[in-house]
C-alpha cells in the first residue's frame, strides 16, 4: 500500500510540474518574438515527453499488478524463502540461489508468463531492476498472447 501511495504522490507532483512548465511554454509563445516562440515550443516538448513516460509506467505497473492478482488467485505467487540479514536486507547468496531456480524454470517453459513473472521477482530480489523490468514486460506480452488465443480463459 505504501508503494501505491508513493507512486500516486509522485505522479501528482509530476503532473503539477508538467502544468507549471507547460504554462511557462505558453507564456513564452505568447510573447511573440522568434526566440521566445522557439523556446516556448521547446519547453512544451518536455511536459509531452513526461506525460508519455508517466502514462507508459502507469500502464506497466497496472498490468504487472493484474498479473500478480491472477497469479495469486491461481496460488502461483512465489513464496518468500529468502534469507535476510539482521537489518532486513535480502542475503545475496540466497537471492542468487532462488534466481538460479527461477531461471531454470523459465528456460524449461519459455512461453509461460507465470515463469517470467516469477523470474522478474527473482531479478528484483537480486537487485537487477533493468532485467526485472524486461522479464516483467515479457510476462505481460506472453499473457496478452495467451488471452488472444482461442480457447484460453
Amino acid at each position: 500500500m505504501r508503494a501505491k501511495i508513493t507512486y500516486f504522490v509522485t505522479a501528482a507532483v509530476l503532473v503539477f510540474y508538467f502544468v507549471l512548465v507547460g504554462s511557462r511554454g505558453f507564456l513564452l509563445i505568447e510573447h511573440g518574438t522568434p526566440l521566445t516562440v522557439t523556446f516556448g515550443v521547446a519547453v512544451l516538448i518536455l511536459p509531452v515527453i513526461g506525460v508519455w513516460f508517466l502514462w507508459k509506467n502507469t500502464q506497466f505497473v497496472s498490468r504487472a499488478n493484474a498479473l500478480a492478482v491472477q497469479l495469486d488467485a491461481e496460488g502461483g505467487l512465489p513464496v518468500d524463502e529468502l534469507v535476510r540479514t539482521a537489518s532486513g536486507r535480502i542475503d545475496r547468496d540466497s537471492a542468487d540461489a532462488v534466481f538460479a531456480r527461477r531461471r531454470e524454470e523459465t528456460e524449461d517453459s519459455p512461453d509461460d508468463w507465470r515463469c517470467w513473472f516469477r523470474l522478474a521477482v527473482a531479478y528484483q530480489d537480486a537487485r537487477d531492476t533493468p532485467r526485472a523490468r524486461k522479464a516483467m514486460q515479457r510476462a505481460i506480452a506472453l499473457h496478452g498472447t495467451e488471452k488472444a488465443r482461442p480457447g484460453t480463459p
Side-chain angles (χ1 to χ4, degrees):
M1 185 64 176
R2 183 175 164 193
K4 283 184 180 181
I5 292 170
T6 302
Y7 187 80
F8 285 118
V9 167
T10 304
V13 169
L14 281 172
V15 168
F16 175 74
Y17 172 76
F18 299 151
V19 169
L20 185 66
V21 169
S23 69
R24 299 299 179 222
F26 283 118
L27 288 174
L28 284 168
I29 291 170
E30 285 178 356
H31 197 270
T33 67
L35 184 63
T36 60
V37 169
T38 303
F39 278 140
V41 170
V43 166
L44 286 176
I45 290 172
L46 294 174
V48 169
I49 292 170
V51 166
W52 174 82
F53 183 75
L54 184 61
W55 173 250
K56 294 307 272 183
N57 277 307
T58 302
Q59 280 183 322
F60 174 78
V61 168
S62 65
R63 289 175 181 161
N65 284 339
L67 293 186
V69 167
Q70 182 175 344
L71 202 55
D72 186 31
E74 296 173 358
L77 277 179
V79 177
D80 186 4
E81 55 190 310
L82 298 167
V83 176
R84 299 187 188 278
T85 64
S87 65
R89 295 193 82 177
I90 295 172
D91 178 65
R92 182 72 175 180
D93 293 333
S94 174
D96 289 344
V98 171
F99 172 78
R101 284 199 322 268
R102 299 295 180 213
R103 186 184 63 221
E104 287 175 18
E105 175 185 294
T106 305
E107 288 171 353
D108 291 341
S109 302
D111 293 331
D112 186 1
W113 67 266
R114 294 160 186 86
C115 294
W116 282 97
F117 182 95
R118 289 188 283 268
L119 180 64
V121 172
Y123 270 126
Q124 189 64 38
D125 290 341
R127 296 186 209 114
D128 191 348
T129 304
R131 288 190 177 138
R133 189 170 180 92
K134 288 212 181 283
M136 188 60 73
Q137 288 170 339
R138 174 72 184 210
I140 291 167
L142 287 171
H143 183 261
T145 304
E146 180 180 285
K147 290 188 81 139
R149 276 188 254 143
T152 57

